[in-house]
Amino acid sequence: MSVPDYMQCAEDHQTLLVVVQPVGIVSEENFFRIYKRISSVSQISVRDSQRVLSIRYRHHYPPENNEWGDFQTHRKVVGLITITDCFSAKDWPQTFEKFHVQKEIYGSTLYDSRLFVFGLQGEITEQPRTDVAFYPNYEDCEAVEKRIEDFIESLFIVLESKRLDRATDKSGDKIPLLCVPFEKKDFVGLDTDSRHYKKRCQGRMRKHVGDLCLQAGMLQDSLVHYHMSVELLRSVNDFLWLGAALEGLCSASVICHYPGGTGGKTGARRFQGSSLPAEAANRHRPGAQEVLIDPGALTTNGINPDTSAEIGRAKNCLSPEDIIDKYKEAISYYSKYKNAGVIELEACVKAVRVLAIQKRSMDASEFLQNAVYINLRQLSEEEKIQRYSILSELYELIGFHRKSAFFKRVAAMQCVAPSISEPGWRACYKLLLETLPGYSLSLDPKDFSRGTHRGWAAVQMRLLHELVYASRRMGNPALSVRHLSFLLQTMLDFLSDQEKKDVTQSLENYTCKCPGTMELLTLPGGPTLPPVPFTKLPIVRRVKLLNLPASLRPQKMKSLLGQNVSTKSPFIYSPIIAHNRGEERNKKIDFQWVQGDVCEVQLMVYNPMPFELRVENMGLLTSGVDFESLPAALSLPAESGLYPVTLVGVPQTTGMITVNGYHTTVFGVFSDCLLDNLPGVKTSGSTVEVIPALPRLQISTSLPRSAHSLQPSSGDEISTNVSVQLYNGEAQQLVIQLENIGTEPLETLEVTSRLLTTKEKLYGDFLSWNLEETLAQFPLQPGKVATLVINIKVKLDFSCQENLLQDLSDDGISVSGFPLCSPFRQVVRPRVESKPVNAPEGSKPGDPSHMKVSPPCTGTVCSVAWCSRFRPLCLFGGSVECSSEKKERESCWWKAGSSVFLPVACFGKPLQ
């Protein structure tokens, strides 16, 4: 026997092997349709009995394995079912002849056979036949299952007769020596009358009877025969058959302990006919050691009553621990024979399945390790693939996921071995995909965004490289790009600088033929591959939505009455604050964007690659309103620090807009990067209101700009400072041009003046205008210009406190740097310090800092000051007449060089 059955399990020892094969030309679809219906009848209850028969179906079985039917009867083909198409009566003789030829292949072991003919009609189909069933077509064949049940009953009759014949001890008859194929030459010339030879014959026959009892549903009788066989064969050191007897004992005990089977889904068989017998319900529980059998029952079943004493002393059912020990012993006996490699391998597989149910993974791994090193004949490539695949499944069964992945990967590499003329790259790719869970690898990039890496990165990268190569050899470049993108995205932290360069170079070569997209890719087996966005090329650390420039920001229109209604809500303190990153990102921002205006989002990014990173076609991903993203291209230096990048776009409609992320094109791969999938990204919010488009007004004046601003601009105001110098009493016109540079008409214009405070001085109102001519040009259409004329007339009032004139002369009073719409105003507070009455020594006439003050009058002060650059001024304080002496009033005179300046009046009276 050279072909192992890797699907073998312990409960298969109680089954009858039935082969189902096509005869002639039968389509694969029709054959497997009938095969599926036939194989559904896997267990039936025998009539007038509590026994259950189990059937194992195979559509292909090597004839050489049939030669081991005496060694283990479950390997013997006892039933043959053939399926054929026959549409003409003249083809019937030839079809029937083929059926007989097929029977001859397994003729030495067959109990019965059947031929199912489809398509033939006429007189031939009306002839009563037991071995042939005629059906008009593959749809009209309801009686298939019933015929299979009848066929199994016929098999049982033959099986029962053979069991009774072999189990009866006929005195005087020699017991034949059962042999395996390779033993026949070894027993030529042996003394058949020796005690040793007779014990060998008895032990082997007793073991054979145990197999027949197990197949016939007599579980307890098979246990007795196996025990007796073990004692006989052990006494003559017949190790090969002793191993078979021990294995049979283990199989019967496993059936007792685990009625559900050890073969997984395939082990649980469906019963036909009556329900399970009471015997199955009363089977031993795990840990049962011994069950005694009634000697009378043995006599009725054909066993000599003389053996009742040793049956009573036997331990019929092994404990779960003893089952594994006996398996080990049987395998050790098999290992002594080179030609028994298949038997040894299958015994290891059966033991592993039992240990998997017992959850003894380490013991199971020892059996599997032994199975790996069992030397069989020179296996074909297909057989090697099957062997490694089964080893992988068994390691998966006992929980050794990484070892399972290793053998499945070996099977994948075997599919494309150099010795294969037509490598199976599709099968290789499929097997490689199945190894991913064993290496803690998922093809979903979201599983790697949590920050914790699982598994060996070096092995995972090797496996991904193999997937890339296999998909390329399959002729699917899109899969190659997807796997290579996944490798670069998820394994970037584990790649060396040279590996990063190699991977990116390969990716660029692949994307030249097939660009990377964000579409789902359907794999050959049915599952889909999710897209791989390049969130690490570049890495984004901060996303900030920017307010519009000050000149474009929308301003709320204030009430004409000056009422400012507060919209702020009351502050309520709560010590319980739920911090949710998603809520922070999606919260609304307190400024607005305007429809049709360019809006900006700033990203802080850096390049983790050891070379310059070129990002093409980078733009924003938004939702809520129609948004035109203006793509940008950037080039980041190698391993750069945080680098600001501004992405812009134009909202086309109004409403609430949410910035969901950004899109890039890197190395030919298009990526949609969502903010929710970016770990560690800081953002103050991503939702902002877009209001309807507003008019835009550009203002230009006839006055030159001022180099200095009298007041810093606040965040809510736009100021333009112009400069002009005027003497008191002078007047000048300021021409303001209003140009509509937007797309909306300008309907209204409101001009107000505001007094601006500076250095605690008070200036009078000196601006006036007339809006009638300007408003006549409204509504101002886009591109049109309106003119506003503002009259500036300096009219200063010096009825103020003492020493103010000196401050004015210090500043060199002039009208300069005032905002166009904002005249100055400030409340005057009393000055704390006072200037000296007399001029300091060394002062010169015309010094702006020099001032002469007269002695105080009763209740009021009269003072005179002058400046070489201005006219003499007089300040009047109070309204009461001055009661000072004339000489004191004369002190108001002052000489400046050759000029004498006389104040106009003092307290309403001319001076003398």
Side-chain angles (χ1 to χ4, degrees):
M1 184 167 56
S2 59
V3 181
D5 184 2
Y6 295 101
M7 303 307 296
Q8 284 263 326
C9 49
E11 55 268 21
D12 285 344
H13 283 248
Q14 68 177 345
T15 61
L16 299 174
L17 180 59
V18 176
V19 175
V20 183
Q21 291 183 338
V23 173
I25 301 176
V26 180
S27 68
E28 184 176 346
E29 180 183 358
N30 291 334
F31 171 76
F32 281 102
R33 182 193 303 179
I34 301 301
Y35 178 81
K36 184 178 180 180
R37 296 182 60 182
I38 292 174
S39 60
S40 65
V41 187
S42 57
Q43 282 187 337
I44 67 169
S45 296
V46 181
R47 296 178 184 176
D48 303 327
S49 173
Q50 293 184 342
R51 285 185 274 173
V52 177
L53 284 182
S54 299
I55 310 298
R56 186 171 88 258
Y57 296 94
R58 293 289 184 270
H59 56 79
H60 176 73
Y61 192 75
E64 59 268 21
N65 287 12
N66 199 38
E67 298 176 0
W68 290 71
D70 291 336
F71 181 73
Q72 290 176 327
T73 57
H74 73 282
R75 302 182 183 277
K76 182 187 302 184
V77 179
V78 298
L80 175 65
I81 300 176
T82 56
I83 300 172
T84 185
D85 288 338
C86 184
F87 303 99
S88 174
K90 64 179 181 179
D91 297 333
W92 167 243
Q94 184 180 1
T95 301
F96 193 69
E97 182 64 24
K98 291 180 181 179
F99 170 57
H100 281 286
V101 172
Q102 198 77 9
K103 285 170 54 177
E104 291 177 359
I105 298 177
Y106 308 103
S108 60
T109 60
L110 283 181
Y111 293 171
D112 202 355
S113 59
R114 291 289 186 272
L115 173 63
F116 289 177
V117 182
F118 292 88
L120 187 61
Q121 297 179 359
E123 298 179 359
I124 299 177
T125 61
E126 298 175 358
Q127 299 176 5
R129 305 181 65 96
T130 58
D131 57 346
V132 181
F134 296 96
Y135 298 98
N137 50 60
Y138 287 94
E139 288 76 19
D140 188 11
C141 53
E142 294 112 1
V144 169
E145 288 82 3
K146 182 62 173 64
R147 286 184 178 272
I148 296 301
E149 291 181 17
D150 297 340
F151 173 66
I152 294 175
E153 288 184 0
S154 68
L155 297 180
F156 170 73
I157 295 172
V158 179
L159 172 66
E160 186 68 7
S161 64
K162 287 183 177 292
R163 184 191 66 82
L164 293 174
D165 182 61
R166 298 290 178 91
T168 304
D169 186 6
K170 300 177 181 179
S171 58
D173 293 344
K174 285 187 177 181
I175 300 176
L177 179 64
L178 302 176
C179 300
V180 295
F182 72 87
E183 285 184 321
K184 294 178 180 179
K185 60 181 180 179
D186 297 333
F187 293 117
V188 177
L190 287 180
D191 184 7
T192 58
D193 295 330
S194 65
R195 182 179 179 85
H196 188 278
Y197 182 82
K198 289 182 179 180
K199 275 194 172 183
R200 186 191 297 269
C201 294
Q202 291 175 357
R204 293 188 177 189
M205 183 57 68
R206 186 66 66 174
K207 186 265 172 192
H208 182 65
V209 174
D211 288 346
L212 294 176
C213 291
L214 188 60
Q215 286 183 308
M218 302 174 65
L219 182 61
Q220 305 300 336
D221 289 8
S222 66
L223 286 168
V224 173
H225 287 290
Y226 285 137
H227 276 291
M228 295 172 61
S229 173
V230 168
E231 297 299 328
L232 291 170
L233 295 172
R234 195 186 298 277
S235 64
V236 295
N237 294 331
D238 191 357
F239 296 118
L240 180 62
W241 285 78
L242 174 58
L246 290 171
E247 187 182 354
L249 183 60
C250 292
S251 299
S253 301
V254 168
I255 294 170
C256 285
H257 287 295
Y258 310 107
T262 62
K265 295 180 180 179
T266 58
R269 294 179 171 87
R270 183 168 62 90
F271 283 84
Q272 302 289 336
S274 62
S275 60
L276 282 171
E279 176 189 1
N282 296 325
R283 287 173 179 168
H284 305 294
R285 299 293 183 267
Q289 295 291 329
E290 184 176 335
V291 175
L292 302 182
I293 300 189
D294 183 9
L298 296 176
T299 304
T300 59
N301 286 299
I303 298 180
N304 196 320
D306 295 339
T307 61
S308 60
E310 52 187 359
I311 291 175
R313 293 191 301 268
K315 292 183 177 181
N316 298 305
C317 183
L318 300 175
S319 67
E321 294 76 13
D322 290 338
I323 291 174
I324 304 305
D325 293 338
K326 297 303 180 184
Y327 264 125
K328 289 182 180 180
E329 185 179 356
I331 292 171
S332 67
Y333 293 146
Y334 292 150
S335 64
K336 297 178 182 293
Y337 300 89
K338 181 179 180 181
N339 294 323
V342 172
I343 304 296
E344 180 185 0
L345 178 60
E346 292 181 356
C348 291
V349 172
K350 297 169 190 175
V352 168
R353 298 187 187 277
V354 176
L355 286 167
I357 291 184
Q358 296 180 359
K359 301 186 183 302
R360 296 166 60 181
S361 300
M362 294 304 298
D363 292 334
S365 67
E366 294 180 6
F367 281 93
L368 278 178
Q369 193 69 21
N370 180 68
V372 170
Y373 292 105
I374 294 177
N375 188 18
L376 300 179
R377 62 170 177 82
Q378 188 66 28
L379 299 177
S380 65
E381 301 300 336
E382 290 76 10
E383 291 172 335
K384 290 179 181 178
I385 295 171
Q386 184 186 17
R387 181 180 185 182
Y388 294 133
S389 299
I390 293 299
L391 287 173
S392 172
E393 292 178 6
L394 292 175
Y395 272 113
E396 183 72 22
L397 185 63
I398 63 176
F400 283 37
H401 304 295
R402 195 167 60 213
K403 204 67 172 280
S404 170
F406 169 78
F407 280 102
K408 189 154 290 186
R409 181 166 166 263
V410 172
M413 295 298 103
Q414 202 66 43
C415 294
V416 292
S419 57
I420 299 179
S421 57
E422 296 182 0
W425 288 106
R426 188 173 295 274
C428 173
Y429 180 83
K430 183 178 180 181
L431 289 173
L432 286 176
L433 285 180
E434 295 175 1
T435 65
L436 297 179
Y439 290 115
S440 302
L441 189 60
S442 166
L443 293 181
D444 191 350
K446 293 182 181 179
D447 297 336
F448 289 82
S449 61
R450 301 167 186 169
T452 303
H453 185 86
R454 297 176 61 245
W456 291 349
V459 179
Q460 291 172 344
M461 288 189 290
R462 177 65 180 272
L463 182 59
L464 289 173
H465 275 294
E466 292 171 351
L467 283 173
V468 172
Y469 187 75
S471 57
R472 183 176 71 85
R473 294 299 300 268
M474 285 169 52
N476 195 335
L479 276 181
S480 301
V481 172
R482 182 61 53 87
H483 290 313
L484 206 54
S485 302
F486 181 84
L487 169 63
L488 188 59
Q489 168 70 17
T490 59
M491 303 294 169
L492 186 64
D493 298 336
F494 304 99
L495 294 173
S496 64
D497 290 348
Q498 186 60 42
E499 288 174 336
K500 291 177 182 178
K501 295 178 181 178
D502 295 341
V503 171
T504 53
Q505 182 63 38
S506 300
L507 184 58
E508 287 180 333
N509 294 337
Y510 283 128
T511 53
C512 289
K513 302 176 182 178
C514 180
T517 64
M518 292 295 292
E519 298 178 358
L520 291 174
L521 294 182
T522 303
L523 297 177
T528 57
L529 278 183
V532 181
F534 276 160
T535 59
K536 293 185 178 180
L537 298 172
I539 298 178
V540 178
R541 281 288 174 261
R542 184 181 178 185
V543 177
K544 182 180 180 181
L545 277 67
L546 302 181
N547 198 350
L548 293 174
S551 60
L552 298 179
R553 292 177 191 171
Q555 302 290 338
K556 277 190 176 182
M557 296 182 62
K558 298 180 180 180
S559 172
L560 296 178
L561 298 178
Q563 298 176 356
N564 187 11
V565 181
S566 176
T567 58
K568 295 183 179 180
S569 61
F571 172 74
I572 301 176
Y573 171 76
S574 173
I576 303 175
I577 301 177
H579 293 282
N580 190 315
R581 186 178 68 176
E583 293 179 358
E584 291 179 359
R585 286 181 175 175
N586 295 327
K587 69 180 182 181
K588 182 181 176 182
I589 301 178
D590 57 358
F591 57 77
Q592 294 84 28
W593 284 349
V594 178
Q595 175 187 358
D597 287 350
V598 176
C599 306
E600 299 177 336
V601 177
Q602 187 182 71
L603 279 66
M604 300 300 294
V605 304
Y606 71 90
N607 173 23
M609 305 300 283
F611 50 85
E612 183 182 17
L613 179 65
R614 296 180 179 178
V615 183
E616 303 173 359
N617 195 24
M618 190 173 187
L620 294 173
L621 297 175
T622 61
S623 62
V625 302
D626 293 339
F627 187 83
E628 180 186 358
S629 178
L630 304 179
L634 59 145
S635 180
L636 300 177
E639 297 179 348
S640 65
L642 285 178
Y643 186 85
V645 174
T646 302
L647 302 180
V648 299
V650 180
Q652 304 296 327
T653 57
T654 61
M656 301 301 297
I657 184 173
T658 301
V659 177
N660 300 319
Y662 60 93
H663 65 82
T664 60
T665 301
V666 183
F667 305 126
V669 178
F670 182 82
S671 303
D672 287 340
C673 305
L674 301 179
L675 297 182
D676 292 338
N677 298 333
L678 300 179
V681 174
K682 297 180 180 180
T683 177
S684 58
S686 60
T687 301
V688 67
E689 181 183 4
V690 178
I691 63 175
L694 298 176
R696 293 174 59 183
L697 185 66
Q698 179 173 295
I699 301 177
S700 58
T701 67
S702 59
L703 294 179
R705 287 182 176 271
S706 174
H708 305 285
S709 174
L710 294 180
Q711 183 183 23
S713 176
S714 63
D716 296 335
E717 294 181 351
I718 305 171
S719 62
T720 299
N721 301 305
V722 296
S723 175
V724 63
Q725 288 188 353
L726 298 175
Y727 292 106
N728 189 27
E730 284 191 72
Q732 186 172 343
Q733 281 190 342
L734 171 63
V735 179
I736 301 176
Q737 289 185 341
L738 309 175
E739 181 181 1
N740 187 353
I741 61 173
T743 59
E744 300 292 327
L746 187 64
E747 298 179 355
T748 60
L749 176 66
E750 180 181 350
V751 180
T752 59
S753 63
R754 184 161 56 95
L755 296 179
L756 185 65
T757 60
T758 173
K759 291 187 179 181
E760 302 178 353
K761 302 167 187 174
L762 181 62
Y763 295 84
D765 293 338
F766 50 86
L767 300 178
S768 62
W769 57 84
N770 188 356
L771 285 180
E772 293 182 0
E773 296 181 0
T774 304
L775 293 178
Q777 306 174 49
F778 279 69
L780 191 63
Q781 299 300 324
K784 300 297 182 178
V785 179
T787 302
L788 172 64
V789 178
I790 295 181
N791 299 312
I792 305 174
K793 185 176 182 180
V794 180
K795 183 180 179 182
L796 300 180
D797 183 6
F798 295 101
S799 334
C800 195
Q801 297 179 1
E802 179 187 6
N803 301 333
L804 179 60
L805 189 59
Q806 173 65 27
D807 292 339
L808 295 177
S809 64
D810 289 346
D811 294 337
I813 197 66
S814 65
V815 181
S816 67
F818 59 89
L820 291 177
C821 61
S822 304
F824 309 126
R825 172 186 299 215
Q826 183 166 348
V827 179
V828 175
R829 289 194 284 266
R831 300 181 64 88
V832 178
E833 71 279 359
S834 62
K835 304 266 179 156
V837 175
N838 298 322
E841 295 181 2
S843 60
K844 298 179 181 180
D847 188 351
S849 63
H850 191 151
M851 180 176 63
K852 172 74 175 180
V853 182
S854 64
C857 302
T858 304
T860 61
V861 176
C862 178
S863 60
V864 179
W866 72 91
C867 175
S868 60
R869 294 172 296 172
F870 296 97
R871 304 170 186 174
L873 302 175
C874 180
L875 288 177
F876 306 94
S879 59
V880 188
E881 292 186 1
C882 180
S883 60
S884 61
E885 297 293 334
K886 178 179 179 182
K887 59 180 179 180
E888 293 176 348
R889 292 198 299 271
E890 290 178 353
S891 63
C892 294
W893 296 83
W894 189 264
K895 293 183 179 180
S898 58
S899 301
V900 177
F901 299 94
L902 178 66
V904 179
C906 180
F907 306 117
K909 293 183 179 182
L911 294 178
Q912 298 296 329

